[in-house]
Amino acid sequence: MQQPGGYTGCGTSGGGKASCGSGAGANDLPPEIWAKVRNHPCYSEEAHHHYARMHVAVAPACNIQCNYCNRKYDCANESRPGVVSEKLTPEQAAKKVLAVASAIPQMTVLGIAGPGDPLANPAKTFRTFELISKTAPDIKLCLSTNGLALPDHIDTIAKFKVDHVTITINMVDADIGQRIYPWIFWNHKRYTGREAAQLLTERQLLGLEMLTARGILCKVNSVMIPGINDKHLVDVNRAVKSRGAFLHNIMPLISAPEHGTVFGLNGQRGPTAQELKALQDECAGEMNMMRHCRQCRADAVGLLGEDRSAEFSTDKVMAMEVRYDTDTRTAYQARVEVERQALVSSRQEELAAFAGENSGIKVLVAVATKGSGRINEHFGHAKEFQIYELSTAGAKFVGHRRVDLYCQGGYGEEDSLAMIIRAINDCHAVFVAKIGGCPKSDLNEAGIDPVDQYAGEFIEKSAITWFRGYLDRVRSGEIQHQPRGDADIRQGAFIAA
Ligand code: CLF
Ligand code: SF4
């Protein structure tokens, strides 16, 4: 988190750290930027505890080939491999947006992110935006693209007031690019090899410059592919920052043979949790990073990490009587803001206890939560754990880990427990609303402290309180601070949110 007044402008080039980013709050950003990000769950880490997004899968075609993509599934630039979304017409999509917005008043953002590339399907993408901007003008419009066609659509993006655009940029060097992209299709012609990668990087960077010149907030997604672009992503980070990108989201490659992708079949591995964190930390010196991306599906609905898409299948939506009521949505969001302010205040109060202190010790903790920034999920019901890094500077969100449910129909699954422990193995503690005796003792044995005394309370305040106790125990000699090892990022096929 940056200091108030430290904002140097995301569009600035040259040295100095732009204090924009997913962790930034109301005091860190100019009011006009804060107004755009304050309730966007991807552009504000704080907002993602409270606000939801939805995607409509109106864009089936794609104009490039990525080696981590299998066209049977959604675009892997914003989705995990193995996820298949239900495709919609723009008219079906518009009705679905109204249905979801009425049922989930904290849904503030509509994104188009596939299942192919939205700008390889411009008619469907922009028709959808046009319909929604008329019927639900309070909903923010968001777009994710591979960037190849982006420079051709800047005026239309601006015309429909699409204020948030994500470009997936995995390289700015065509030698590296040709190992990621076998071909692109541009200007009625197929290009391959280095020439394809060169064209792609030029079009991506041009598109980014054109958007930021219009004041449109741009996020850059990059897929971290160990041995191919992992070190190079630091150069990508500099290149996109200098062109005014607001936020950089480095996501892990998820790669397994069952995905049927080039990388999956040739054994290309994804990064470990600590490899990903180290790269994100390195780039955070240049620019703040998004670390809460869930690699959503192209028809995702709900809070990030939550999957409510099954409630809004096309059959169900088409049968619904929808009444779009902005007053109800506004009133609900006002209550959300009260809760959000309480969370910020509680964190500040607890943090005051560390004033002037710098122990140098940092630990990671995992948290089971259903949202609202509270510890409100049982260990056995958690499908993911949020990861916080604790130090005397506070509790910083640094990522999440997907897991299989431990509790299946009331029974604990030993295989799942072993997988959960591997997924949070770099953590010193796991905070949960409730936990049974068996997993508790296995976690203790693995050196992870199961903490259930803060059930229902705010995550950051509780984590800081626990960390103060941890430091006291280290200082008194009751325990020794021991660094933890690495952890796994789940590589298998995902079908949920
Ligand atoms: Fe969707 Fe993407 Fe907009 Fe968000 S998702 S189009 S910016 S509204 Fe968000 Fe999902 Fe990550 Fe994308 S968590 S995959 S970054
Ligand atoms: Fe697949 Fe998306 Fe790449 Fe197209 S841009 S090949 S849909 S991952």
Side-chain angles (χ1 to χ4, degrees):
M1 185 69 71
Q2 302 300 304
Q3 293 308 305
Y7 184 75
T8 56
C10 295
T12 54
S13 57
K17 181 183 174 191
S19 61
C20 56
S22 71
N27 294 328
D28 310 305
L29 298 169
E32 69 280 9
I33 304 281
W34 178 241
K36 286 183 183 176
V37 304
R38 55 170 281 279
N39 62 2
H40 193 307
C42 303
Y43 281 68
S44 162
E45 189 271 308
E46 194 184 292
H48 103 279
H49 296 288
H50 308 280
Y51 290 101
R53 55 73 186 101
M54 71 176 289
H55 289 167
V56 285
V58 294
C62 190
N63 48 6
I64 70 173
Q65 179 64 57
C66 306
N67 278 335
Y68 46 72
C69 179
N70 175 346
R71 293 293 175 69
K72 282 198 297 197
Y73 305 124
D74 288 2
C75 175
N77 286 339
E78 282 232 334
S79 288
R80 297 178 305 279
V83 168
V84 184
S85 292
E86 193 185 24
K87 292 181 202 68
L88 301 176
T89 64
E91 288 69 27
Q92 288 170 323
K95 176 147 192 213
K96 181 172 178 177
V97 172
L98 294 185
V100 172
S102 303
I104 308 178
Q106 70 273 43
M107 192 283 285
T108 47
V109 176
L110 166 77
I112 301 185
D117 185 74
L119 297 181
N121 304 262
K124 288 177 182 156
T125 295
F126 290 118
R127 174 69 181 146
T128 305
F129 283 147
E130 183 182 16
L131 290 170
I132 290 158
S133 62
K134 282 185 188 145
T135 50
D138 62 317
I139 291 178
K140 287 182 168 40
L141 304 179
C142 195
L143 175 72
S144 173
T145 174
N146 62 42
L148 180 63
L150 181 57
D152 306 331
H153 296 289
I154 305 292
D155 286 343
T156 322
I157 288 170
K159 180 176 131 191
F160 288 116
K161 296 192 172 52
V162 180
D163 251 349
H164 302 78
V165 176
T166 295
I167 313 169
T168 299
I169 302 183
N170 294 320
M171 54 86 207
V172 289
D173 175 340
D175 288 330
I176 293 172
Q178 65 181 334
R179 299 174 67 192
I180 303 171
Y181 306 101
W183 58 260
I184 67 166
F185 192 82
W186 183 64
N187 249 353
H188 315 289
K189 192 175 157 198
R190 182 181 286 241
Y191 295 82
T192 58
R194 197 178 184 288
E195 190 184 17
Q198 185 62 36
L199 266 168
L200 181 61
T201 179
E202 284 170 10
R203 303 275 300 165
Q204 289 174 330
L205 295 178
L206 175 63
L208 173 60
E209 283 173 1
M210 291 170 82
L211 286 172
T212 56
R214 299 278 189 109
I216 294 169
L217 283 187
C218 291
K219 171 165 74 62
V220 168
N221 281 3
S222 299
V223 180
M224 179 182 180
I225 311 163
I228 293 185
N229 73 347
D230 45 349
K231 298 195 170 52
H232 176 61
L233 285 180
V234 178
D235 300 329
V236 171
N237 179 267
R238 282 196 205 102
V240 302
K241 184 204 161 192
S242 72
R243 287 167 176 81
F246 178 76
L247 196 58
H248 194 186
N249 171 24
I250 298 184
M251 311 182 293
L253 172 73
I254 294 170
S255 175
E258 68 262 30
H259 302 145
T261 62
V262 170
F263 284 156
L265 294 170
N266 74 11
Q268 171 64 51
R269 71 173 181 94
T272 67
Q274 285 299 308
E275 286 171 340
L276 177 66
K277 182 174 180 299
L279 177 60
Q280 289 171 331
D281 288 350
E282 189 178 353
C283 291
E286 292 289 322
M287 173 181 178
N288 283 344
M289 309 297 291
M290 176 181 188
R291 302 179 193 242
H292 58 285
C293 175
R294 302 304 202 278
Q295 293 169 269
C296 323
R297 47 193 294 159
D299 61 358
V301 174
L303 293 171
L304 303 189
E306 169 186 70
D307 183 13
R308 297 187 60 180
S309 54
E311 293 170 45
F312 301 96
S313 63
T314 308
D315 291 354
K316 287 180 188 163
V317 166
M318 290 306 134
M320 282 178 192
E321 282 285 326
V322 177
R323 206 181 124 256
Y324 192 69
D325 177 1
T326 0
D327 290 347
T328 308
R329 285 174 52 78
T330 308
Y332 188 92
Q333 289 176 23
R335 292 200 295 278
V336 168
E337 285 303 314
V338 171
E339 172 84 350
R340 178 179 185 168
Q341 203 42 56
L343 187 157
V344 172
S345 306
S346 77
R347 173 211 300 154
Q348 282 162 351
E349 279 164 25
E350 200 58 39
L351 203 49
F354 283 136
E357 201 181 324
N358 184 359
S359 81
I361 292 180
K362 287 183 178 175
V363 303
L364 296 184
V365 296
V367 180
T369 175
K370 287 194 272 208
S372 304
R374 292 182 185 269
I375 303 162
N376 51 11
E377 183 64 286
H378 292 199
F379 179 82
H381 299 166
K383 292 185 201 141
E384 69 164 34
F385 290 90
Q386 297 192 353
I387 308 295
Y388 284 78
E389 184 173 69
L390 310 182
S391 70
T392 44
K396 184 170 91 171
F397 182 99
V398 293
H400 67 97
R401 308 282 162 74
R402 285 185 167 268
V403 294
D404 283 335
L405 279 188
Y406 170 64
C407 192
Q408 316 265 356
Y411 297 96
E413 295 282 334
E414 282 317 302
D415 286 353
S416 303
L417 184 56
M419 186 271 296
I420 293 169
I421 290 174
R422 285 199 303 278
I424 60 171
N425 184 52
D426 49 356
C427 296
H428 280 74
V430 56
F431 289 68
V432 296
K434 205 171 175 186
I435 184 166
C438 284
K440 213 174 195 174
S441 92
D442 284 21
L443 284 161
N444 274 319
E445 212 168 287
I448 302 167
D449 184 11
V451 181
D452 58 3
Q453 74 209 64
Y454 303 108
E457 297 190 21
F458 286 126
I459 295 169
E460 294 177 38
K461 177 178 190 287
S462 307
I464 294 167
T465 309
W466 175 88
F467 185 60
R468 274 202 287 127
Y470 180 85
L471 288 182
D472 288 345
R473 286 186 289 150
V474 171
R475 284 189 198 111
S476 70
E478 184 189 331
I479 56 169
Q480 265 203 321
H481 172 65
Q482 298 280 3
R484 300 280 305 167
D486 206 342
D488 287 349
I489 293 174
R490 194 174 146 173
Q491 294 294 310
F494 296 121
I495 48 163

Coordinates of all heavy atoms in Angstrom, one line a residue, residues 245-294:
A245 N 0.1 1.2 -18.4 CA -0.8 0.1 -17.9 C -1.0 0.4 -16.4 O -0.1 0.8 -15.6 CB -0.1 -1.3 -18.0
F246 N -2.2 0.2 -15.9 CA -2.6 0.5 -14.6 C -2.2 -0.6 -13.6 O -1.9 -0.4 -12.4 CB -4.1 0.7 -14.5 CG -4.7 0.9 -13.2 CD1 -4.5 2.2 -12.6 CD2 -5.4 -0.1 -12.5 CE1 -5.1 2.4 -11.3 CE2 -5.9 0.2 -11.2 CZ -5.7 1.4 -10.6
L247 N -2.2 -1.9 -14.1 CA -2.1 -3.0 -13.2 C -1.5 -4.2 -14.0 O -1.8 -4.3 -15.2 CB -3.5 -3.4 -12.8 CG -3.7 -4.3 -11.6 CD1 -3.1 -3.7 -10.4 CD2 -5.2 -4.4 -11.3
H248 N -0.7 -5.0 -13.3 CA -0.1 -6.1 -14.0 C -0.5 -7.4 -13.2 O -0.3 -7.5 -12.0 CB 1.4 -6.0 -14.1 CG 2.1 -7.0 -15.0 ND1 3.5 -7.1 -15.1 CD2 1.6 -7.9 -15.9 CE1 3.8 -8.0 -16.0 NE2 2.6 -8.5 -16.5
N249 N -1.1 -8.3 -14.0 CA -1.6 -9.6 -13.3 C -0.7 -10.7 -13.9 O -1.0 -11.2 -15.0 CB -3.0 -9.7 -13.7 CG -3.6 -11.1 -13.3 OD1 -3.1 -11.7 -12.4 ND2 -4.7 -11.5 -14.0
I250 N 0.2 -11.2 -13.1 CA 1.0 -12.4 -13.6 C 0.4 -13.6 -13.0 O 0.2 -13.8 -11.8 CB 2.5 -12.3 -13.1 CG1 3.1 -11.0 -13.7 CG2 3.3 -13.5 -13.5 CD1 4.6 -10.9 -13.4
M251 N -0.1 -14.5 -14.0 CA -0.9 -15.7 -13.6 C 0.0 -16.9 -13.8 O 0.8 -16.9 -14.7 CB -2.1 -15.8 -14.5 CG -2.9 -14.5 -14.6 SD -4.4 -14.8 -15.6 CE -3.7 -15.1 -17.2
P252 N -0.2 -18.0 -13.1 CA 0.6 -19.2 -13.3 C 0.1 -19.9 -14.5 O -1.1 -20.0 -14.8 CB 0.3 -20.0 -12.1 CG -1.0 -19.6 -11.6 CD -1.2 -18.1 -12.0
L253 N 1.0 -20.5 -15.3 CA 0.6 -21.4 -16.4 C 0.0 -22.6 -15.6 O 0.6 -23.1 -14.7 CB 1.8 -21.9 -17.2 CG 1.5 -23.0 -18.2 CD1 0.7 -22.5 -19.4 CD2 2.8 -23.7 -18.6
I254 N -1.2 -23.0 -16.1 CA -1.8 -24.3 -15.6 C -1.7 -25.3 -16.7 O -2.3 -25.0 -17.8 CB -3.2 -24.0 -15.0 CG1 -3.1 -23.1 -13.8 CG2 -3.9 -25.3 -14.6 CD1 -4.4 -22.5 -13.4
S255 N -1.0 -26.3 -16.5 CA -0.7 -27.2 -17.6 C -0.6 -28.6 -17.2 O 0.1 -29.0 -16.3 CB 0.7 -26.7 -18.1 OG 1.2 -27.6 -19.2
A256 N -1.5 -29.4 -17.9 CA -1.5 -30.9 -17.6 C -1.9 -31.6 -18.9 O -2.5 -31.0 -19.7 CB -2.5 -31.2 -16.5
P257 N -1.4 -32.8 -19.1 CA -1.6 -33.5 -20.3 C -3.1 -33.6 -20.7 O -3.5 -33.5 -21.8 CB -1.1 -34.9 -20.1 CG -0.1 -34.8 -19.0 CD -0.6 -33.6 -18.1
E258 N -4.0 -33.7 -19.7 CA -5.4 -33.9 -20.0 C -6.1 -32.7 -20.6 O -7.2 -32.7 -21.1 CB -6.2 -34.3 -18.7 CG -6.3 -33.3 -17.6 CD -5.3 -33.5 -16.5 OE1 -4.2 -34.1 -16.8 OE2 -5.6 -33.2 -15.3
H259 N -5.3 -31.5 -20.6 CA -5.9 -30.3 -21.2 C -5.7 -30.4 -22.7 O -6.4 -29.6 -23.4 CB -5.2 -29.1 -20.7 CG -5.3 -28.9 -19.2 ND1 -4.3 -28.3 -18.5 CD2 -6.3 -29.2 -18.4 CE1 -4.7 -28.3 -17.2 NE2 -5.9 -28.9 -17.1
G260 N -4.8 -31.3 -23.2 CA -4.6 -31.4 -24.6 C -4.0 -30.3 -25.3 O -4.1 -30.1 -26.5
T261 N -3.3 -29.4 -24.6 CA -2.6 -28.3 -25.2 C -1.2 -28.7 -25.5 O -0.6 -29.7 -25.1 CB -2.5 -27.1 -24.2 OG1 -1.7 -27.6 -23.0 CG2 -3.9 -26.7 -23.7
V262 N -0.5 -27.8 -26.4 CA 0.9 -28.1 -26.7 C 1.7 -28.2 -25.5 O 2.5 -29.2 -25.3 CB 1.4 -27.0 -27.7 CG1 2.9 -27.2 -27.9 CG2 0.7 -27.1 -29.0
F263 N 1.6 -27.2 -24.6 CA 2.4 -27.3 -23.4 C 2.0 -28.4 -22.4 O 2.9 -29.0 -21.8 CB 2.2 -25.9 -22.6 CG 3.0 -24.8 -23.2 CD1 2.6 -23.5 -22.9 CD2 4.2 -25.0 -24.0 CE1 3.3 -22.4 -23.5 CE2 4.9 -23.9 -24.5 CZ 4.5 -22.6 -24.3
G264 N 0.7 -28.7 -22.4 CA 0.3 -29.8 -21.5 C 0.9 -31.1 -22.0 O 1.3 -32.0 -21.2
L265 N 0.9 -31.3 -23.3 CA 1.3 -32.6 -23.9 C 2.9 -32.7 -23.9 O 3.4 -33.8 -23.9 CB 0.8 -32.8 -25.3 CG -0.7 -32.9 -25.4 CD1 -1.2 -32.8 -26.8 CD2 -1.2 -34.2 -24.7
N266 N 3.6 -31.6 -24.0 CA 5.0 -31.7 -24.0 C 5.7 -31.6 -22.6 O 6.9 -31.5 -22.5 CB 5.7 -30.8 -25.0 CG 5.7 -29.3 -24.6 OD1 5.4 -29.0 -23.4 ND2 6.0 -28.4 -25.5
G267 N 4.8 -31.6 -21.6 CA 5.3 -31.7 -20.2 C 5.8 -30.3 -19.7 O 6.5 -30.3 -18.6
Q268 N 5.5 -29.2 -20.4 CA 5.8 -27.9 -19.8 C 5.1 -27.7 -18.5 O 3.9 -27.8 -18.3 CB 5.3 -26.8 -20.8 CG 5.5 -25.4 -20.3 CD 6.9 -25.0 -20.0 OE1 7.7 -25.1 -20.9 NE2 7.2 -24.5 -18.8
R269 N 5.9 -27.4 -17.4 CA 5.4 -27.3 -16.1 C 4.9 -25.9 -15.8 O 5.4 -24.9 -16.5 CB 6.4 -27.7 -15.0 CG 7.5 -26.8 -14.8 CD 8.4 -27.2 -13.6 NE 9.5 -26.3 -13.4 CZ 9.4 -25.2 -12.6 NH1 8.3 -24.9 -11.9 NH2 10.5 -24.4 -12.4
G270 N 4.0 -25.7 -14.9 CA 3.7 -24.4 -14.4 C 4.6 -24.0 -13.2 O 5.4 -24.9 -12.7
P271 N 4.5 -22.8 -12.7 CA 5.4 -22.4 -11.6 C 4.9 -22.9 -10.3 O 3.7 -23.2 -10.1 CB 5.3 -20.8 -11.6 CG 4.0 -20.5 -12.2 CD 3.7 -21.7 -13.2
T272 N 5.7 -23.0 -9.3 CA 5.3 -23.3 -7.9 C 4.8 -22.0 -7.3 O 5.0 -20.9 -7.9 CB 6.5 -23.8 -7.0 OG1 7.4 -22.7 -6.9 CG2 7.1 -25.0 -7.6
A273 N 4.2 -22.1 -6.1 CA 3.6 -20.9 -5.5 C 4.7 -19.9 -5.2 O 4.5 -18.7 -5.3 CB 2.9 -21.4 -4.2
Q274 N 5.8 -20.4 -4.7 CA 6.9 -19.4 -4.3 C 7.6 -18.8 -5.5 O 8.0 -17.7 -5.5 CB 7.9 -20.1 -3.4 CG 7.3 -20.3 -2.0 CD 7.0 -19.0 -1.3 OE1 7.8 -18.1 -1.2 NE2 5.8 -18.9 -0.8
E275 N 7.7 -19.6 -6.6 CA 8.2 -19.0 -7.9 C 7.3 -17.9 -8.4 O 7.8 -16.8 -8.8 CB 8.3 -20.1 -9.0 CG 9.5 -21.1 -8.7 CD 9.4 -22.3 -9.7 OE1 8.4 -22.5 -10.3 OE2 10.5 -22.9 -9.8
L276 N 6.0 -18.1 -8.3 CA 5.1 -17.1 -8.8 C 5.2 -15.8 -7.9 O 5.3 -14.7 -8.3 CB 3.7 -17.6 -8.7 CG 2.6 -16.6 -9.1 CD1 2.7 -16.2 -10.6 CD2 1.2 -17.2 -8.9
K277 N 5.2 -16.1 -6.6 CA 5.3 -14.9 -5.6 C 6.6 -14.2 -5.8 O 6.6 -12.9 -5.7 CB 5.1 -15.5 -4.2 CG 5.1 -14.3 -3.2 CD 4.8 -14.8 -1.8 CE 4.8 -13.7 -0.8 NZ 6.1 -13.0 -0.7
A278 N 7.7 -14.9 -6.0 CA 9.0 -14.2 -6.1 C 8.9 -13.3 -7.3 O 9.4 -12.1 -7.3 CB 10.1 -15.2 -6.2
L279 N 8.4 -13.7 -8.5 CA 8.3 -12.9 -9.7 C 7.4 -11.7 -9.4 O 7.7 -10.6 -9.8 CB 7.8 -13.7 -10.9 CG 7.6 -13.0 -12.2 CD1 9.0 -12.3 -12.6 CD2 7.1 -13.9 -13.3
Q280 N 6.2 -12.0 -8.8 CA 5.3 -10.9 -8.5 C 5.9 -9.8 -7.6 O 5.8 -8.6 -7.8 CB 4.0 -11.4 -7.9 CG 3.1 -12.2 -8.8 CD 2.0 -12.9 -8.1 OE1 2.1 -13.3 -6.9 NE2 0.9 -13.1 -8.8
D281 N 6.7 -10.3 -6.6 CA 7.4 -9.4 -5.7 C 8.4 -8.6 -6.4 O 8.6 -7.4 -6.2 CB 8.0 -10.1 -4.5 CG 7.0 -10.7 -3.5 OD1 5.8 -10.3 -3.6 OD2 7.4 -11.5 -2.7
E282 N 9.1 -9.2 -7.3 CA 10.2 -8.5 -8.1 C 9.5 -7.4 -8.9 O 10.0 -6.3 -9.0 CB 10.9 -9.5 -9.0 CG 12.2 -8.9 -9.6 CD 13.0 -9.9 -10.5 OE1 12.6 -11.1 -10.4 OE2 13.9 -9.5 -11.1
C283 N 8.4 -7.7 -9.6 CA 7.8 -6.7 -10.4 C 7.1 -5.7 -9.6 O 6.9 -4.5 -10.1 CB 6.8 -7.4 -11.4 SG 7.6 -8.4 -12.6
A284 N 6.7 -6.0 -8.4 CA 6.0 -5.0 -7.5 C 6.9 -3.8 -7.2 O 6.5 -2.7 -6.9 CB 5.5 -5.6 -6.3
G285 N 8.3 -4.0 -7.4 CA 9.2 -2.8 -7.2 C 9.0 -1.8 -8.3 O 9.2 -0.6 -8.1
E286 N 8.4 -2.2 -9.4 CA 8.2 -1.3 -10.6 C 6.8 -0.8 -10.6 O 6.5 0.3 -11.0 CB 8.5 -2.1 -11.9 CG 9.9 -2.4 -12.1 CD 10.8 -1.2 -12.4 OE1 10.3 -0.3 -13.1 OE2 11.9 -1.1 -11.9
M287 N 5.9 -1.7 -10.2 CA 4.4 -1.4 -10.4 C 3.6 -2.4 -9.5 O 4.0 -3.5 -9.3 CB 4.2 -1.7 -11.9 CG 2.8 -1.6 -12.3 SD 2.8 -2.1 -14.1 CE 1.1 -2.0 -14.4
N288 N 2.5 -1.9 -9.0 CA 1.7 -2.8 -8.2 C 1.1 -3.9 -9.0 O 0.7 -3.7 -10.1 CB 0.7 -2.0 -7.4 CG 1.3 -1.3 -6.2 OD1 2.4 -1.6 -5.8 ND2 0.6 -0.3 -5.7
M289 N 0.9 -5.0 -8.3 CA 0.5 -6.2 -9.0 C -0.9 -6.7 -8.6 O -1.3 -6.5 -7.4 CB 1.5 -7.4 -8.7 CG 2.9 -7.0 -8.9 SD 3.3 -6.6 -10.6 CE 3.1 -8.2 -11.4
M290 N -1.6 -7.3 -9.5 CA -2.9 -8.0 -9.1 C -2.5 -9.4 -8.7 O -1.8 -10.1 -9.4 CB -3.8 -8.1 -10.3 CG -5.0 -8.9 -10.0 SD -6.2 -9.0 -11.4 CE -7.6 -9.8 -10.6
R291 N -2.9 -9.7 -7.5 CA -2.6 -11.1 -7.0 C -3.8 -11.9 -6.7 O -3.7 -12.9 -6.1 CB -1.7 -11.0 -5.8 CG -0.4 -10.2 -6.0 CD 0.4 -10.1 -4.7 NE 1.5 -9.2 -4.8 CZ 2.8 -9.5 -4.6 NH1 3.1 -10.8 -4.5 NH2 3.7 -8.6 -4.6
H292 N -5.0 -11.3 -7.0 CA -6.2 -12.0 -6.6 C -7.0 -12.6 -7.7 O -8.2 -12.9 -7.6 CB -7.1 -11.1 -5.7 CG -7.5 -9.8 -6.4 ND1 -6.7 -8.7 -6.6 CD2 -8.7 -9.4 -6.9 CE1 -7.3 -7.8 -7.2 NE2 -8.6 -8.2 -7.4
C293 N -6.3 -12.7 -8.9 CA -7.0 -13.2 -10.1 C -7.4 -14.7 -9.9 O -6.6 -15.5 -9.3 CB -6.1 -13.1 -11.3 SG -6.8 -13.9 -12.8
R294 N -8.6 -15.1 -10.3 CA -9.0 -16.5 -10.1 C -9.0 -17.2 -11.4 O -9.5 -18.3 -11.5 CB -10.4 -16.6 -9.5 CG -10.5 -15.9 -8.1 CD -9.5 -16.5 -7.1 NE -9.8 -16.2 -5.7 CZ -9.6 -15.1 -5.0 NH1 -9.0 -14.1 -5.6 NH2 -10.0 -15.1 -3.8

